[in-house]
Amino acid sequence: MHRTRTQHINAIGATLLISLIGPLLPFASCIEPLAVQAQTPQKLASEAETWQEFVSDRGGFSVLMPGKPTETIKPANPQDNSGEEREFLLEMEDGNLVYYISYTDLPTFSNQLNLNQIDGMFNAARDAAVKGGRLIKESNLTLNEYQGRELEIEGTNGLRIKARMYWVEPRLYLLMVVTSTNFTPDSDRFLNSFRLLKNTSLKSYPMLREVQANIEPKDEALDLPKALNFQQQALEIFRQINNSQSSAIVLGNIGQIYYYQKQYDRALEAYQQSLVIFRKLSNCQGEGIMLDYIGSVYNSQGQYQKALESLEQALVLFQEVGDRENASITINIIQRVRQKQ
C-alpha cells in the first residue's frame, strides 16, 4: 500500500469523522467539520514486531498493536471551538493491512447530547462510510458506560473495513482495521483491547480551562440551562444506582456550568461535593481537578489566598500521579493569581 492507498485510508477516517460531527452542527453552527489530514507514514511496521500495549496519556486510552504507530496532530482551533485532533496509523504486510486510531475533542458539545442524538450521529457516519460500498455487519456496543457502534464494510478499491466509534463526551474516538484481504483474529484483538485510561472523562478541555484562567467564555451557542438540566437528571440516576464515580464527575460538570453563569457559590458547593466523593474513592486526579476548580472560584471572587491554597494542593496531587498536562496548566494559573496579590 503506497502513498495513494495510505491517503485512501486517511480519507476513510476523514469521511467517518466528518459524518460523525455533521449531525452535531445544529448545536453549534460555528464549528466546521473536522477531517483527518492525509499524511504519509514515516515508516512501515516490521512484521517481526510483537504485539505490545500502546498508551496515549494525552488521548486517554491504551490499545494493543503489533508495532508503534505513526502519530499526526491537528492543533486545537479556538476560532471554531474545536479541540485537538490526533491520529495514529500503523501499516503492516507491505501496506495491505492498516491499524488506525484517531480522536477529536469537541468541548462545545459537552453535556448536550442524549442517547438518541448520539445514535443519530453514528447512523450518519454509517451511511456516509457505506456510500459506494456495502454494509456487511453493524452492531451497537458500549465501552464502560459510553455508547459506541461497530461497522464492517466492504469498501471501494477492494478494501474491507472494520470500524468502531465511541462518544466519550466531549471526545470522539475512531478505531479501524483496513485490509485488502480477509480479517484475521488479530483484527478483533486490536479492537477488543481498546481501553480508556482511568479518569479519561475527567481530562481538562481547552474551553473550560479558558474559564479557569479568568477568560470570559465567548461561546453563545452553548445552552447552559439545557446542559444543567441534563446533568441534574444524570446525577439523580447515578445516585439511585450508587455510582459514586459518575456522580462525582457530573457534580464537577454542574459546577462548571454554574461557573459559566457566574453563580460562584453554587459552583463552589458542587465542586466541594464532588471533592468529597473523589477523596472517598482515593481518586487523586479527580481530587486534584476539583481542587483546581475550587481555586478558580476563589480567584474569581477575589479571595486570592484561598485560591492559592487550593491550587497548590491540586498541583501536588497532579505531580504525584504524573499528570504533567494539568500540573503545567495549574502552575500557570498559580502564577496569574500571585500577580493579583
Side-chain angles (χ1 to χ4, degrees):
M1 190 180 297
H2 303 293
R3 180 181 177 86
T4 55
R5 179 66 68 86
T6 298
Q7 290 178 329
H8 186 67
I9 298 300
N10 285 286
I12 294 170
T15 298
L16 283 169
L17 283 175
I18 291 171
S19 303
L20 284 165
I21 296 166
L24 303 179
L25 294 181
F27 295 95
S29 58
C30 61
I31 295 184
E32 298 177 357
L34 304 177
V36 177
Q37 301 298 312
Q39 301 284 345
T40 301
Q42 296 176 356
K43 69 171 185 176
L44 298 179
S46 168
E47 293 184 43
E49 290 187 89
T50 58
W51 283 75
Q52 56 189 293
E53 184 180 41
F54 173 74
V55 179
S56 172
D57 290 324
R58 191 179 186 90
F61 71 87
S62 67
V63 68
L64 291 178
M65 301 186 78
K68 185 177 180 180
T70 298
E71 179 180 8
T72 57
I73 304 171
K74 178 180 178 181
N77 187 346
Q79 293 182 347
D80 62 15
N81 291 324
S82 65
E84 184 178 71
E85 174 188 340
R86 295 195 178 211
E87 68 167 355
F88 306 85
L89 189 146
L90 175 66
E91 285 195 78
M92 303 289 293
E93 299 177 4
D94 197 25
N96 290 305
L97 173 64
V98 170
Y99 297 94
Y100 174 98
I101 309 167
S102 67
Y103 70 83
T104 305
D105 287 332
L106 301 168
T108 300
F109 298 145
S110 180
N111 311 327
Q112 295 189 32
L113 302 185
N114 59 38
L115 295 180
N116 289 333
Q117 291 163 345
I118 297 171
D119 198 49
M121 176 174 65
F122 291 152
N123 288 341
R126 173 202 62 207
D127 294 343
V130 174
K131 188 175 182 180
R134 182 170 67 93
L135 179 65
I136 299 174
K137 293 180 182 179
E138 179 180 21
S139 60
N140 292 319
L141 47 86
T142 58
L143 181 67
N144 301 341
E145 72 269 31
Y146 302 107
Q147 193 170 352
R149 181 78 61 86
E150 179 174 285
L151 303 173
E152 187 172 331
I153 300 167
E154 185 178 290
T156 59
N157 295 344
L159 296 176
R160 292 174 66 89
I161 306 155
K162 186 177 284 189
R164 288 187 183 180
M165 304 168 283
Y166 298 103
W167 172 246
V168 184
E169 61 176 342
R171 176 172 288 177
L172 284 171
Y173 287 101
L174 171 62
L175 294 83
M176 293 194 301
V177 179
V178 184
T179 178
S180 59
T181 57
N182 293 320
F183 294 113
T184 68
D186 282 344
S187 302
D188 289 331
R189 182 182 184 183
F190 165 70
L191 295 170
N192 292 335
S193 69
F194 183 76
R195 296 287 185 272
L196 296 175
L197 300 182
K198 189 175 181 180
N199 305 323
T200 293
S201 55
L202 286 173
K203 293 292 184 180
S204 57
Y205 304 108
M207 182 191 303
L208 299 179
R209 283 297 184 174
E210 284 185 358
V211 178
Q212 286 194 312
N214 209 24
I215 298 175
E216 293 296 332
K218 297 179 174 57
D219 177 26
E220 298 177 357
L222 191 60
D223 188 339
L224 294 178
K226 181 179 178 181
L228 179 60
N229 181 61
F230 178 84
Q231 292 297 320
Q232 289 173 333
Q233 291 180 46
L235 178 60
E236 183 178 350
I237 293 172
F238 288 135
R239 282 175 168 170
Q240 289 176 355
I241 63 176
N242 296 318
N243 189 325
S244 299
Q245 172 87 359
S246 296
S247 295
I249 293 171
V250 171
L251 280 165
N253 292 340
I254 290 173
Q256 290 168 353
I257 294 169
Y258 282 136
Y259 191 99
Y260 272 122
Q261 295 175 325
K262 298 184 179 181
Q263 299 186 49
Y264 298 129
D265 289 339
R266 289 188 173 183
L268 188 60
E269 181 182 359
Y271 291 149
Q272 288 173 336
Q273 289 181 37
S274 178
L275 177 64
V276 169
I277 297 174
F278 280 128
R279 281 177 171 166
K280 287 182 179 178
L281 296 173
S282 299
N283 186 323
C284 292
Q285 188 183 42
E287 182 182 349
I289 290 174
M290 289 308 113
L291 285 167
D292 201 89
Y293 288 171
I294 289 169
S296 296
V297 172
Y298 286 137
N299 178 35
S300 297
Q301 292 178 325
Q303 300 185 59
Y304 303 128
Q305 186 56 43
K306 284 187 175 182
L308 286 174
E309 291 173 0
S310 186
L311 290 165
E312 287 169 353
Q313 290 179 54
L315 178 60
V316 170
L317 289 168
F318 291 144
Q319 291 173 335
E320 286 181 354
V321 299
D323 188 343
R324 295 181 181 179
E325 181 180 358
N326 275 321
S328 177
I329 293 171
T330 301
I331 289 172
N332 289 333
I333 299 174
I334 288 174
Q335 291 173 346
R336 294 191 184 195
V337 175
R338 284 175 175 166
Q339 290 174 356
K340 295 178 181 179
Q341 285 187 309

